Amino acid sequence: GESVGLHLPTLSVQEGDNSIINCAYSNSASDYFIWYKQESGKGPQFIIDIRSNMDKRQGQRVTVLLNKTVKHLSLQIAATQPGDSAVYFCAETYGNNDMRFGAGTRLTVKP
Amino acid sequence: SQTIHQWPATLVQPVGSPLSLECTVEGTSNPNLYWYRQAAGRGLQLLFYSVGIGQISSEVPQNLSASRPQDRQFILSSKKLLLSDSGFYLCAWTPAYGYTFGSGTRLTVV
């Protein structure tokens, strides 16, 4: 479900390093997952998605990994840049049901 | 092209005053529409969703209400704002995959 009452966990990385952001989802029936990036003062933007029949999907500098056994989703960002600093949300859904969002992780990239 | 518009971008309102936030979608018909609230430094909370004109589902009981007077218009309202209504309000709709969000409204109740 939605962890809206929790303060956001934070991740601080050095510019150029790889970042790994993790998300635990709650519904074992969820079959579609999305990672969103939200910059300060803006709405969330789609980054990458994955369906439950896959365990890995790659985009430009980003990779999403899905482990259905432990209901875990991760977002890997290669060669992290200052422009990657934002809050990252995972989201899950199944069938035509509404999407449910995780609490989010704040990524800070140090120059 | 499909776009979502949300306004105003920022709003400062006194406690007890009314609220009306508007969201419109272009380039599609009969979209599912959503209102989310995001308190500072926290996650997204689903407030309302609508699958069609006049059809509103509420996720969280509160002093806010929503209406959908037209197919591509979704309005968030309050008759009397509380301090706890401060936050970042996001409208969203569902295109072919996932959700697309509006740019958000920063509401500060003083």
Side-chain angles (χ1 to χ4, degrees):
Chain A
E2 298 167 352
S3 301
V4 295
L6 302 177
H7 284 280
L8 297 178
T10 59
L11 174 66
S12 183
V13 300
Q14 206 69 36
E15 181 178 0
D17 288 351
N18 296 333
S19 301
I20 300 177
I21 300 171
N22 297 303
C23 178
Y25 63 93
S26 56
N27 189 348
S28 58
S30 291
D31 57 7
Y32 183 55
F33 305 87
I34 297 179
W35 278 102
Y36 288 91
K37 173 186 179 183
Q38 186 178 20
E39 296 176 271
S40 180
K42 299 182 180 179
Q45 298 293 316
F46 173 94
I47 300 176
I48 191 169
D49 60 355
I50 189 168
R51 296 204 172 272
S52 57
N53 61 349
M54 304 172 67
D55 53 19
K56 181 179 180 179
R57 189 159 188 232
Q58 288 184 293
Q60 187 177 14
R61 282 201 308 118
V62 295
T63 300
V64 55
L65 298 177
L66 175 62
N67 186 330
K68 294 182 288 293
T69 302
V70 295
K71 293 188 287 188
H72 184 267
L73 194 68
S74 69
L75 177 70
Q76 299 178 0
I77 304 174
T80 314
Q81 303 168 0
D84 295 326
S85 293
V87 174
Y88 291 82
F89 291 94
C90 68
E92 59 174 309
T93 189
Y94 66 96
N96 292 322
N97 290 282
D98 297 324
M99 188 151 276
R100 299 290 176 173
F101 293 87
T105 296
R106 184 179 304 280
L107 174 66
T108 301
V109 181
K110 296 177 289 186
Chain B
S1 62
Q2 299 162 338
T3 56
I4 181 168
H5 300 281
Q6 189 179 341
W7 67 92
T10 59
L11 193 59
V12 179
Q13 291 284 98
V15 169
S17 64
L19 172 73
S20 181
L21 303 181
E22 188 163 346
C23 172
T24 59
V25 180
E26 294 179 359
T28 187
S29 60
N30 197 31
N32 288 350
L33 296 171
Y34 304 82
W35 278 111
Y36 281 86
R37 177 169 60 197
Q38 187 177 34
R42 300 190 183 215
L44 294 168
Q45 180 185 33
L46 179 62
L47 301 176
F48 302 95
Y49 67 94
S50 171
V51 298
I53 296 174
Q55 300 179 64
I56 308 295
S57 296
S58 175
E59 288 286 305
V60 182
Q62 57 211 320
N63 71 321
L64 299 173
S65 62
S67 62
R68 187 164 175 179
Q70 300 180 43
D71 181 45
R72 289 171 287 179
Q73 184 184 30
F74 202 23
I75 298 172
L76 182 70
S77 305
S78 173
K79 292 182 178 178
K80 289 185 178 181
L81 284 169
L82 306 173
L83 286 174
S84 58
D85 291 325
S86 293
F88 192 52
Y89 289 82
L90 289 157
C91 179
W93 74 286
T94 51
Y97 54 85
Y99 285 10
T100 295
F101 289 87
S103 53
T105 296
R106 172 75 58 194
L107 172 65
T108 303
V109 182
V110 296

